[in-house]
């Protein structure tokens, strides 16, 4: 699925793509980590990933308002803001 402009795949989708590319999937697994994060760091990370694509459909004069509202909302979490990152690993062998 797509989240704010970043394409995310399920472990099954990646397995199918690897198979379609001519590989035999030997194993696949995912690894997730969760860590606390500040509002500033969260916004910086999201912007780096999606190049602020979530603001694309807004008028220029509304973008700063939305940025400020997002920052205020995230900051109001009183240190409870966390980010979960997941990685999917597919171990495969090229078919001859």
């Amino acid at each position: 699925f797509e989240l704010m402009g970043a394409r995310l795949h399920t472990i099954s989708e990646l397995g199918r793509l690897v198979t379609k590319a001519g590989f035999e999937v030997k194993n696949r697994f995912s690894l997730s980590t969760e860590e606390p994060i500040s509002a500033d760091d969260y916004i910086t990370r999201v912007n780096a990933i999606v190049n602020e694509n979530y603001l694309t459909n807004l008028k220029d004069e509304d973008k700063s308002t939305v940025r400020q509202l997002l920052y205020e909302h995230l900051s109001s979490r009183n240190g409870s803001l966390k980010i979960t990152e997941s990685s999917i690993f597919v171990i495969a062998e090229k078919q001859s």
Side-chain angles (χ1 to χ4, degrees), residues 78-94:
N78 297 323
S80 67
L81 186 62
K82 294 183 176 146
I83 189 164
T84 301
E85 292 185 0
S86 298
S87 298
I88 297 174
F89 298 87
V90 177
I91 299 169
E93 184 176 285
K94 183 70 173 174

Side-chain angles (χ1 to χ4, degrees), residues 1-18:
F1 64 97
E2 194 163 324
L3 175 68
M4 293 194 288
R7 175 80 179 135
L8 306 174
H9 296 280
T10 67
I11 197 165
S12 297
E13 286 174 321
L14 283 176
R16 283 192 295 276
L17 290 170
V18 168

Side-chain angles (χ1 to χ4, degrees), residues 6 10 15 24 33 46 52 60 81 86 91-92:
T10 67
E24 179 184 351
T33 58
V46 169
E52 291 192 340
D60 286 339
L81 186 62
S86 298
I91 299 169

Side-chain angles (χ1 to χ4, degrees), residues 18 21 24-25 29 39 56 70 77 82 89:
V18 168
E24 179 184 351
V25 175
F29 58 94
T56 300
L70 178 61
R77 302 289 305 268
K82 294 183 176 146
F89 298 87

Side-chain angles (χ1 to χ4, degrees), residues 2 4 7-8 15 18-19 24 27-28 32 35 38 40 45 50 59 62 66 69 71 73 82 84 90-93:
E2 194 163 324
M4 293 194 288
R7 175 80 179 135
L8 306 174
V18 168
T19 300
E24 179 184 351
N27 196 3
R28 56 186 174 208
S32 295
E35 64 182 80
S38 71
D40 287 327
R45 188 176 291 192
V50 301
K59 297 176 187 171
D62 294 335
V66 170
L69 288 171
Y71 177 78
H73 175 72
K82 294 183 176 146
T84 301
V90 177
I91 299 169
E93 184 176 285

